[in-house]
Amino acid sequence: MTNNFINLEIKDLDLNIYRIYPLSRFMDMMKNNSNVLVKTSLWEDPFENFILNSTGRLPTGQTFTIGSRDQYFGQCWSYKKESDAMWRIYSQHIKDSNQNLIVDNIGIKVKSTIRNVFEPLFTIQRNAINPYNGGPYNLCSFIGKVKYLKKQDLVTMLRDNASELLIDQSGKGQASTLMLKRLAFTHEREIRIVYHNDQCQTSDKVYPYPIDPNKCFQEIVVDPRIPKDVYLEIKKIIKQSGFKNRIIQSGLYKIEDFMFDAKFL
């Protein structure tokens, strides 16, 4: 499996990683026992797919585009445990007409490991290649740590290395182009799953693969900004879905009682 690592080592297999899902999406995962990758062409940052979306030029002067660029699916995780920005970006506080929080939109942060989120996908694809005993690796499933570079360095990489990366027969070169972001996003400290599906249809926007949520996710942490009664409601909903592991509310904004000794009369 480590042959399918990008910017990672075998010691990173059990590195804790985190992702915030809207409660409604997590409930779908519990119902369907699946994790869902999204087509990478739908990622918001225009530099996410800058190499796959680029135009090539042959020695004859003829131009071409990368035919496989719409065949990649991915998912972003972080090895940063928690931050204020993470909650504000990925956990929406939407209210109904009575100013009550709509719990389906509230984010819950799941804790997992590289092994637990990637191994199910890797195993499925490896066994598809050799259904009898699998193989040492497959050519379509990868997980890696994102590298953060200056914009000019990304442009230089495109100019100097794009051809080599895009013809890599192991598939790793192409996947590695999706492990690059600009320096402005360094705070995200991302880990990414990338899957190349050459059988997908143009209309396919997601790719689900089976997991056991209770094995994949060791812990759930609920948005620290919501009232306690809303947190307890969400906790009850998650437990009723069949999740058996730890569920807590983030203490990011919790202020402990503080007492000091006055040193004056």
Side-chain angles (χ1 to χ4, degrees):
M1 186 165 67
T2 54
N3 288 325
N4 293 62
F5 279 9
I6 300 172
N7 308 324
L8 293 170
E9 302 175 14
I10 190 169
K11 64 181 178 61
D12 298 319
L13 261 174
D14 296 304
L15 176 72
N16 289 331
I17 55 176
Y18 307 87
R19 175 175 169 82
I20 295 178
Y21 291 94
L23 177 62
S24 57
R25 289 192 186 178
F26 181 80
M27 297 303 291
D28 287 341
M29 291 169 61
M30 291 297 298
K31 178 181 178 181
N32 299 317
N33 290 309
S34 65
N35 189 26
V36 179
L37 309 181
V38 175
K39 186 168 283 189
T40 60
S41 59
L42 298 176
W43 287 350
E44 294 182 355
D45 182 3
F47 273 81
E48 300 277 16
N49 297 273
F50 82 104
I51 290 183
L52 291 177
N53 286 337
S54 61
T55 300
R57 185 170 53 240
L58 297 171
T60 60
Q62 182 180 358
T63 60
F64 64 94
T65 56
I66 312 304
S68 62
R69 64 185 180 185
D70 289 323
Q71 299 175 350
Y72 286 87
F73 296 79
Q75 189 176 70
C76 304
W77 290 72
S78 175
Y79 56 96
K80 186 178 183 66
K81 184 175 182 180
E82 188 169 45
S83 71
D84 175 77
M86 186 185 297
W87 287 115
R88 295 187 186 277
I89 294 171
Y90 298 111
S91 180
Q92 299 181 23
H93 283 204
I94 299 176
K95 297 182 179 180
D96 61 21
S97 58
N98 296 317
Q99 297 302 299
N100 296 312
L101 284 172
I102 301 175
V103 297
D104 282 354
N105 295 295
I106 293 174
I108 60 168
K109 183 183 65 172
V110 300
K111 174 184 176 182
S112 188
T113 65
I114 288 175
R115 184 194 303 274
N116 287 347
V117 297
F118 183 61
E119 194 169 55
L121 175 66
F122 173 84
T123 302
I124 290 168
Q125 302 307 324
R126 181 194 63 189
N127 291 343
I129 295 170
N130 187 341
Y132 299 102
N133 58 11
Y137 61 92
N138 63 62
L139 306 179
C140 53
S141 305
F142 300 90
I143 191 165
K145 185 183 295 186
V146 171
K147 283 187 175 181
Y148 298 93
L149 303 172
K150 295 179 181 179
K151 178 180 177 180
Q152 186 54 49
D153 290 338
L154 291 172
V155 173
T156 299
M157 179 175 290
L158 169 60
R159 184 184 64 237
D160 296 344
N161 301 320
S163 294
E164 180 181 350
L165 292 170
L166 294 173
I167 63 172
D168 182 0
Q169 294 185 356
S170 74
K172 184 179 286 190
Q174 296 88 334
S176 68
T177 68
L178 295 167
M179 305 291 179
L180 301 169
K181 290 198 77 169
R182 290 173 291 169
L183 280 177
F185 297 90
T186 304
H187 65 279
E188 295 176 344
R189 300 173 68 186
E190 279 190 81
I191 298 287
R192 287 181 171 178
I193 301 171
V194 170
Y195 168 58
H196 179 215
N197 182 1
D198 60 4
Q199 302 299 315
C200 73
Q201 303 298 314
T202 303
S203 59
D204 292 341
K205 295 182 178 180
V206 298
Y207 176 81
Y209 67 93
I211 61 167
D212 179 342
N214 280 300
K215 290 182 179 179
C216 190
F217 309 132
Q218 299 97 312
E219 177 184 83
I220 287 175
V221 179
V222 183
D223 189 322
R225 299 168 294 167
I226 61 174
K228 185 175 180 179
D229 61 326
V230 178
Y231 153 64
L232 292 174
E233 179 184 355
I234 290 174
K235 183 176 182 178
K236 180 179 179 181
I237 291 171
I238 295 173
K239 281 191 170 184
Q240 288 175 340
S241 74
F243 189 73
K244 301 175 183 178
N245 300 328
R246 188 178 187 225
I247 305 171
I248 60 173
Q249 184 175 20
S250 168
L252 184 63
Y253 305 123
K254 185 178 179 181
I255 299 176
E256 302 291 341
D257 291 334
F258 178 74
M259 179 178 293
F260 68 94
D261 294 325
K263 299 183 182 296
F264 54 85
L265 298 178

